[in-house]
Amino acid sequence: MRLLKDQQRVASGYFDTTIYLDGIAGTGKTTAAIERVKELIRSGVPADSILIWVPQANLAMPYRRALQRARIDADTNVPTTTIGKLAYEMTDLFWPLISDDEKFNFGDKFGRPNFLSLELVQYYMTKFLGPEIELRDYFNSVHISRNRLYTQIVDNLNKAALVRFEPDKIGDRLKDALGDSVEQSYIYDDAQETASLFRQRCLEHNLLDFSLQVELFVNHLWPLEQVQNYLTRKYRHLIVDNVEEDTPASHDILRDWLPQTDSALLISDTGGGYRRFLGADPINAETLCDQCQVHITLDNHRVMSKELVALHDQLDFSLDPSKTDEPQSDADARDAIAYAPDINYQPQMIAWAAEHIASLVHDQGVPASEIVIMAPYMPDALRFSLQRELDAQQVPHRSHRPSRALREETASRTLLTLARLAHPHWNLPPNKFDVGYALAASINELDLIRARLLADVLYRNGKLAPFTGIKNDALTQRITFDLGMRYQVLFDWLQAYQAQDPLPLDIFFSKLFGEVLSQKGFGFHGQTDAANIAANLIDSAQAFRQTVSEIEPNLDIPTEYVKMVEEGVIANQYLRDWEDDQRDAVLIAPAYTFLLTNQPVDYQFWLNVGSSGWAQRLYQPLTHPYVLSRQWQSGRRWTENEEDEAHRQTLAYMALGLIRRCRKQIYLGFSQYSEQGYEQRGDLLMAIQTMLRRLNRSDAHA
Amino acid sequence: MNHLPEDFIFSQSSLQDYVDCPRRFQLKYLLRQRYPAPEVDDLLEFERRMAQGERFHHLLHQHAVGLPAEVLQKRIDDDEVRRWFDTYLANGLNDVPERRYPEYSLTIPLGAYRLLAKFDLLALSDDKALIIDWKTSRHVPRRDRLQKRLQTIVYRYVLAKGGTALNGGQPIPPEQIEMRYWYADHEGQLVSFAYDAAQFEADEHYLTCLVREIEERERFPLTDDTTRCAYCTYRSLCERGITAGPLDEWELDEPTDLDELDFDFDQIAEIEF
Ligand code: SF4
């Protein structure tokens, strides 16, 4: 791609100073930054002295790909990081500098840190807080699930670390701004108590969750000369992308670091800040502009068609009551959108979307990867329906689900059911339905009906019986000898296993997978997805065992793990899930997830346009993204007006951000009634209708 | 037909896998197929050794960034690792030049792709460039075997080809390069390999041909050496056996390809649930 003049300045100039680069999405900021990295390397700068810093790991992917493809006759292995990764690496490396410091009170001052994955955070939340919540009747007026309670407690601790206030001030901040009623104040007190208790227990056991890693790094390691020298001497050139999506903790480190670099490029996406709910602070990011010697703004939009630019401006006008001058566009905003009028119910909307996608892919030759389908939330039911319709239309699709319960996957459920069968001493016998299901998934060609028959006859009192246990010839024939023998192989393996000392669960899974389930004739043989899920489950069980056995060597680890999974623990996120997500397929994702991939596409399908979810935050009674931000002035009260303004802003950011990431057209899908049968009249729909009426009126006047 | 993605990166482990078994290379790196069967029979012992190896490498990294040895020694709770660390302190850094780069990675172009090397330690002086690989394996392999391993070939070649930025903008002459395997479990026994221009040319030819061969392959056949399958997680997929081979007879006795930490420790918000 040819660079424009200002992009060129960014790419090949100012190698000895600091630049602040801004502009809306699609103006080529990242493209210019990638070229800058290449130029730095070509000029002799060692690749490993450049650091690419992004707010979340997947945003570094365009850099990695471009550098891997670059035709440069030198090393291009430029490290990439996030505040989380940096905090983890520095805490791991320099742990001995802080672990025996009295002020932290770590339980084992000379022991190693135990880094908590997402799964383990959930486990220890349940373990440390569950009994206390029961005993002290915390949150008795809050009616949301335990998992959601825990996530909000974690969220509060994360905010304290990322915004940099004391974790024991969470409750006070929330109460001062929002504690109107006694009941609400109690909730914030309980939120404080539970957060403090979790932190205290983590310190006792050297358990480091994300918030503690960030806190240790930002507040205690970074100020040490040895650590700061290590980082600032190693990385002489910084490229910080999407600084507006990053947090005050990152900004503070950068503020110290900038004067110590040879060069730095800070990139801000004007109008961004989508990660506010994760502590992103675009206003704080702007203060870094003053720290930079050069300020460049890119304003030449290279993504949106002129119709989409018109749509962007018109919708912006509709969404912002402070704007008085109607935008003048040289194209018709209506040409940028397509919609089906008169759809009453969601299934019709889904069918409409799938038909149009099929036509784009099959008739117009649009690559499937240039299409995204999104909704404010993507519940399983909606996702499954979309997948089914797209399958029927033979359109490849992929779905990025940021959070998935481990137990949801067939392969994991199968392994867990077989584990229960193989360990009768756990006293966790699976139910007959699960046994039938597991047999169908384990034995190739065994359908669910025959698998259930097998379970009916051969599964009694928590135990399987051999195939020869079937005395009914008709049934034996119906199952077939061949499938019966495969059942017998599985049965024999489980019997032989029980004759030995039990193995750790992950090792049991691995052997069962390798020696039976993935052998020819069995359900996992050559099944890519099942093997992948099994691999994730094995990693998860292994990490669980390694950490938990360190903390409580006498605990019955396998049953603890099984219970945790059954309770719906959300699986760890792996970077490889993003990396592997490169297939030519239509992406199905929540709107935020798409926005945060920061990759434009040709066509977007917005579903449930009438939903209020486009503007409203989730109901989060224990936390608050605005009050726990650095922009919040202590002592103020959060008002209803502010709540309304926050909704409006959320919607505007989201809708305009999406339009800026579209090249050709947006399809608007709305049904009069939601899945639950309510009429849908959300703010996004209202704004679009207002815009259309205004445009139609000006046509009439003309 | 070329199956390789444009941004493919070769490494010593992927090339070694290819040389050992083209099908394994295809499954692991092209199809990125995970297949979590056991690699060896005694997985717990295997895991223990891997953890010891990781712990040892981590200690050396901490020492290299300036943490005092006594501070680190106080925190070692494994006798074997302590013995290894003491051995390292006694002789691991003998004749090692002062300009040191621990845990250093380099990539260089190789054909239309890139080749990556991850060095445990690079140490440079005006007339010497030393690559050290810390080994914690129980056996010291035969010299002729080590010489043929892709690690020996790739590491020296990558440094000669890509070390320019570390050497004041000048390529490092092959004659200055030495690759040193240091065996912690054998009192720091060394197996060293010098380098020269002729070997560099031979390696370049070999590696380029290897990559071209991979690029042009229509099929990725299963290895003829079926003993390898006993230690390969794909054995059921290839229908090459049921159980994993004994750990004690495993040729390498050390994992060469420690998977990088892949967790996303970053926070996840409730809105994503
Ligand atoms: S099982 Fe054998 S043939 Fe199959 S990939 Fe492994 S080494 Fe190659």
Side-chain angles (χ1 to χ4, degrees):
Chain A
M1 185 191 282
R2 261 177 52 89
L3 297 186
L4 300 173
K5 201 166 132 249
D6 277 338
Q7 284 180 304
Q8 198 65 56
R9 284 169 66 206
V10 173
S12 43
Y14 309 111
F15 286 176
D16 55 359
T17 188
T18 47
I19 315 175
Y20 190 86
L21 173 68
D22 55 14
I24 63 167
T27 45
K29 301 184 295 297
T30 300
T31 308
I34 289 171
E35 287 309 311
R36 178 182 178 85
V37 179
K38 290 185 195 165
E39 284 301 321
L40 279 167
I41 295 172
R42 284 196 189 99
S43 75
V45 169
D48 88 320
S49 70
I50 305 169
L51 182 65
I52 295 169
W53 181 325
V54 287
Q56 64 180 40
N58 66 307
L59 291 168
M61 266 162 37
Y63 288 88
R64 275 212 294 278
R65 292 228 174 81
L67 291 168
Q68 283 163 11
R69 280 197 288 258
R71 302 271 171 268
I72 299 178
D73 207 17
D75 180 28
T76 58
N77 194 29
V78 177
T80 63
T81 199
T82 59
I83 184 75
K85 186 174 177 204
L86 211 51
Y88 162 73
E89 287 174 350
M90 292 304 103
T91 316
D92 195 29
L93 192 58
F94 290 106
W95 173 249
L97 296 181
I98 48 172
S99 70
D100 54 356
D101 191 324
E102 289 301 332
K103 69 172 168 274
F104 299 113
N105 241 332
F106 283 112
D108 183 359
K109 296 188 171 17
F110 298 102
R112 300 197 74 192
N114 298 301
F115 294 96
L116 293 184
S117 63
L118 174 65
E119 286 169 13
L120 282 164
V121 168
Q122 296 168 80
Y123 172 74
Y124 279 114
M125 274 270 160
T126 312
K127 191 166 178 85
F128 295 154
L129 301 186
E132 289 294 315
I133 291 175
E134 293 295 326
L135 188 73
R136 300 185 194 281
D137 205 20
Y138 286 145
F139 306 114
N140 59 11
S141 62
V142 179
H143 303 291
I144 56 173
S145 73
R146 271 294 160 83
N147 279 347
R148 290 199 55 207
L149 272 183
Y150 295 149
T151 330
Q152 289 176 43
I153 297 167
V154 173
D155 206 28
N156 282 342
L157 282 165
N158 290 347
K159 292 272 165 42
L162 292 166
V163 176
R164 301 190 67 196
F165 58 86
E166 294 296 323
D168 57 7
K169 296 282 181 289
I170 296 168
D172 288 347
R173 282 180 79 120
L174 290 166
K175 268 198 304 193
D176 287 352
L178 298 150
D180 292 328
S181 63
V182 178
E183 190 177 296
Q184 194 58 50
S185 290
Y186 278 146
I187 294 173
Y188 294 138
D189 283 338
D190 293 352
Q192 180 64 66
E193 295 277 326
T194 46
S196 300
L197 180 65
F198 182 69
R199 171 59 58 85
Q200 184 199 327
R201 290 284 166 83
C202 283
L203 291 170
E204 280 165 16
H205 297 291
N206 290 20
L207 296 170
L208 271 55
D209 68 328
F210 172 83
S211 69
L212 189 49
Q213 291 169 44
V214 171
E215 212 176 299
L216 289 174
F217 170 56
V218 179
N219 297 344
H220 304 286
L221 284 168
W222 172 252
L224 299 179
E225 198 182 341
Q226 188 172 3
V227 177
Q228 201 163 129
N229 280 348
Y230 170 79
L231 284 170
T232 55
R233 286 179 188 163
K234 188 171 161 78
Y235 303 114
R236 302 297 308 152
H237 300 267
L238 297 180
I239 306 284
V240 187
D241 207 340
N242 290 109
V243 72
E244 83 291 346
E245 303 295 347
D246 227 319
T247 58
S250 294
H251 301 154
D252 290 350
I253 299 263
L254 287 166
R255 203 181 309 281
D256 292 344
W257 198 331
L258 286 175
Q260 304 181 60
T261 58
D262 288 342
S263 86
L265 170 65
L266 271 56
I267 305 168
S268 172
D269 188 0
T270 313
Y274 310 114
R275 298 173 87 252
R276 269 195 179 80
F277 59 91
L278 287 167
D281 192 334
I283 298 172
N284 198 56
E286 266 176 43
T287 61
L288 288 169
C289 184
D290 298 339
Q291 300 280 121
C292 295
Q293 306 301 316
V294 180
H295 181 181
I296 299 175
T297 301
L298 296 183
D299 50 15
N300 205 323
H301 203 281
R302 308 184 84 173
V303 171
M304 293 182 285
S305 65
K306 58 183 191 312
E307 289 77 16
L308 276 158
V309 173
L311 175 68
H312 177 275
D313 296 348
Q314 292 291 351
L315 199 58
D316 187 18
F317 181 73
S318 293
L319 287 167
D320 188 349
S322 71
K323 289 207 158 84
T324 47
D325 294 337
E326 258 191 61
Q328 299 303 316
S329 311
D330 55 0
D332 192 334
R334 287 164 295 190
D335 292 341
I337 51 177
Y339 54 92
D342 304 331
I343 285 185
N344 284 333
Y345 298 105
Q346 211 185 49
Q348 293 167 286
M349 176 188 71
I350 292 167
W352 167 84
E355 271 166 32
H356 280 77
I357 290 170
S359 161
L360 287 171
V361 173
H362 299 316
D363 306 336
Q364 298 177 43
V366 175
S369 57
E370 282 299 336
I371 302 172
V372 60
I373 314 178
M374 59 196 138
Y377 303 113
M378 190 59 76
D380 282 346
L382 177 58
R383 192 170 46 81
F384 285 138
S385 311
L386 281 165
Q387 287 170 330
R388 215 180 30 234
E389 288 290 333
L390 290 174
D391 283 340
Q393 300 279 0
Q394 297 184 322
V395 174
H397 52 82
R398 62 195 170 95
S399 128
H400 194 86
R401 297 173 62 201
S403 42
R404 230 188 309 227
L406 267 175
R407 66 166 181 208
E408 271 177 46
E409 315 283 1
T410 305
S412 332
R413 271 168 53 191
T414 302
L415 285 164
L416 287 163
T417 303
L418 295 174
R420 286 165 168 232
L421 288 170
H423 300 90
H425 63 277
W426 291 353
N427 289 324
L428 294 171
N431 63 41
K432 207 171 263 184
F433 175 83
D434 283 346
V435 173
Y437 193 80
L439 289 176
S442 301
I443 298 169
N444 202 13
E445 293 161 1
L446 180 68
D447 53 66
L448 198 54
I449 298 174
R450 284 184 293 175
R452 287 210 181 125
L453 283 174
L454 267 181
D456 274 344
V457 179
L458 296 178
Y459 181 58
R460 292 258 190 281
N461 304 324
K463 281 193 185 131
L464 286 175
F467 189 60
T468 47
I470 304 182
K471 299 295 175 214
N472 176 336
D473 283 352
L475 183 59
T476 314
Q477 277 173 15
R478 184 153 178 216
I479 304 289
T480 76
F481 179 73
D482 183 28
L483 293 181
M485 285 306 98
R486 285 187 230 166
Y487 167 85
Q488 191 63 33
V489 170
L490 176 62
F491 173 82
D492 288 344
W493 192 93
L494 293 170
Q495 289 297 109
Y497 172 79
Q498 285 172 62
Q500 306 160 4
D501 286 341
L503 290 167
L505 192 53
D506 48 302
I507 296 182
F508 165 82
F509 288 148
S510 180
K511 280 174 82 77
L512 176 62
F513 172 87
E515 295 173 11
V516 187
L517 299 179
S518 68
Q519 292 288 331
K520 192 157 184 240
F522 290 87
F524 290 38
H525 183 73
Q527 296 298 314
T528 335
D529 286 348
N532 247 327
I533 291 161
N536 281 351
L537 186 74
I538 291 167
D539 284 354
S540 150
Q542 186 189 40
F544 183 86
R545 167 172 59 84
Q546 288 170 340
T547 302
V548 176
S549 66
E550 186 107 328
I551 309 298
E552 278 180 279
N554 297 325
L555 201 69
D556 185 3
I557 290 170
T559 54
E560 283 287 297
Y561 180 79
V562 171
K563 284 184 199 152
M564 174 184 83
V565 176
E566 303 279 321
E567 277 164 19
V569 70
I570 301 295
N572 286 334
Q573 317 259 310
Y574 294 93
L575 300 180
R576 60 176 172 257
D577 294 342
W578 288 101
E579 305 261 348
D580 289 348
D581 234 1
Q582 295 306 308
R583 285 168 292 143
D584 183 22
V586 172
L587 173 66
I588 305 172
Y592 267 117
T593 307
F594 169 71
L595 262 183
L596 296 177
T597 62
N598 207 15
Q599 296 288 306
V601 292
D602 285 350
Y603 297 93
Q604 295 180 3
F605 283 73
W606 299 4
L607 300 189
N608 290 340
V609 168
S611 158
S612 53
W614 294 92
Q616 270 168 14
R617 288 200 311 277
L618 275 186
Y619 168 63
Q620 292 186 307
L622 274 61
T623 184
H624 198 282
Y626 290 87
V627 169
L628 296 186
S629 86
R630 188 174 280 184
Q631 301 311 319
W632 186 252
Q633 292 157 1
S634 73
R636 279 193 50 221
R637 305 289 292 175
W638 178 255
T639 63
E640 271 186 27
N641 282 348
E642 280 169 310
E643 186 70 34
D644 293 343
E645 177 57 15
H647 284 183
R648 192 198 62 74
Q649 256 188 21
T650 305
L651 174 58
Y653 276 128
M654 170 95 91
L656 301 177
L658 291 175
I659 297 173
R660 288 185 207 125
R661 285 162 180 78
C662 185
R663 295 192 194 90
K664 295 188 174 155
Q665 195 154 37
I666 295 174
Y667 288 73
L668 301 174
F670 52 84
S671 56
Q672 191 174 358
Y673 299 104
S674 70
E675 219 183 347
Q676 294 78 20
Y678 298 117
E679 196 161 4
Q680 303 217 84
R681 303 237 129 248
D683 291 348
L684 176 60
L685 182 61
M686 294 295 121
I688 292 170
Q689 285 178 342
T690 312
M691 176 191 81
L692 291 175
R693 274 198 298 273
R694 192 176 61 242
L695 292 172
N696 292 341
R697 259 200 319 272
S698 37
D699 277 358
H701 287 156
Chain B
M1 191 178 133
N2 186 1
H3 316 260
L4 289 168
E6 232 190 320
D7 51 7
F8 193 81
I9 300 191
F10 286 98
S11 65
Q12 56 99 3
S13 357
S14 66
L15 289 169
Q16 188 68 55
D17 275 332
Y18 176 74
V19 170
D20 290 347
C21 174
R23 174 68 172 151
R24 188 194 296 174
F25 172 85
Q26 183 195 29
L27 287 165
K28 199 160 159 186
Y29 302 98
L30 297 184
L31 304 174
R32 297 171 66 106
Q33 174 64 64
R34 301 171 78 218
Y35 224 64
E39 259 166 318
V40 293
D41 60 352
D42 189 348
L43 278 178
L44 264 186
E45 176 58 16
F46 179 70
E47 177 185 314
R48 194 182 70 84
R49 291 187 195 174
M50 276 210 350
Q52 284 183 319
E54 275 178 61
R55 177 87 181 100
F56 180 66
H57 279 81
H58 190 56
L59 280 166
L60 267 47
H61 189 195
Q62 290 179 308
H63 188 240
V65 301
L67 296 182
E70 15 354 310
V71 169
L72 297 171
Q73 275 164 322
K74 259 202 287 197
R75 292 155 197 273
I76 306 175
D77 53 5
D78 178 311
D79 291 343
E80 256 174 324
V81 176
R82 186 176 304 110
R83 180 167 57 79
W84 296 343
F85 190 61
D86 290 344
T87 307
Y88 154 84
L89 292 174
N91 65 32
L93 294 172
N94 286 357
D95 309 323
V96 173
E98 284 301 316
R99 198 146 52 88
R100 293 175 191 162
Y101 302 88
E103 302 291 325
Y104 198 88
S105 300
L106 273 180
T107 64
I108 53 153
L110 179 62
Y113 310 95
R114 298 197 78 85
L115 175 62
L116 165 77
K118 289 183 173 180
F119 307 101
D120 284 346
L121 180 65
L122 273 183
L124 295 122
S125 64
D126 289 344
D127 58 358
K128 191 171 177 71
L130 182 64
I131 302 164
I132 302 193
D133 201 65
W134 311 113
K135 293 285 186 201
T136 54
S137 50
R138 273 50 176 176
H139 314 296
V140 179
R142 289 204 333 246
R143 184 181 168 79
D144 57 335
R145 295 200 137 185
L146 266 180
Q147 182 146 26
K148 281 197 209 120
R149 286 205 66 80
L150 261 302
Q151 186 177 13
T152 311
I153 298 169
V154 165
Y155 279 25
R156 292 181 305 178
Y157 176 72
V158 167
L159 186 59
K161 185 98 180 171
T164 314
L166 295 170
N167 195 38
Q170 297 301 314
I172 299 174
E175 285 71 16
Q176 291 189 3
I177 293 176
E178 179 193 333
M179 166 99 199
R180 189 182 278 182
Y181 294 100
W182 182 92
Y183 286 86
D185 204 41
H186 297 264
E187 277 98 47
Q189 186 181 328
L190 296 179
V191 184
S192 292
F193 297 94
Y195 208 39
D196 59 30
Q199 188 60 49
F200 172 77
E201 299 229 333
D203 289 346
E204 180 155 76
H205 180 71
Y206 172 67
L207 292 168
T208 315
C209 291
L210 204 56
V211 168
R212 196 169 310 133
E213 182 184 310
I214 297 172
E215 237 180 335
E216 288 168 2
R217 257 202 188 284
E218 289 289 333
R219 290 180 50 255
F220 288 82
L222 280 59
T223 177
D224 293 331
D225 179 1
T226 51
T227 55
R228 296 197 188 284
C229 307
Y231 298 99
C232 175
T233 60
Y234 299 114
R235 81 185 73 79
S236 56
L237 189 63
C238 299
E239 298 175 41
R240 287 278 178 95
I242 293 178
T243 48
L247 175 61
D248 288 336
E249 289 169 29
W250 196 28
E251 186 195 333
L252 279 177
D253 193 17
E254 180 167 38
T256 52
D257 198 13
L258 298 180
D259 262 347
E260 286 218 353
L261 179 89
D262 186 39
F263 275 150
D264 199 348
F265 273 116
D266 286 1
Q267 56 171 346
I268 289 145
E270 194 190 9
I271 197 150
E272 302 198 74
F273 284 77

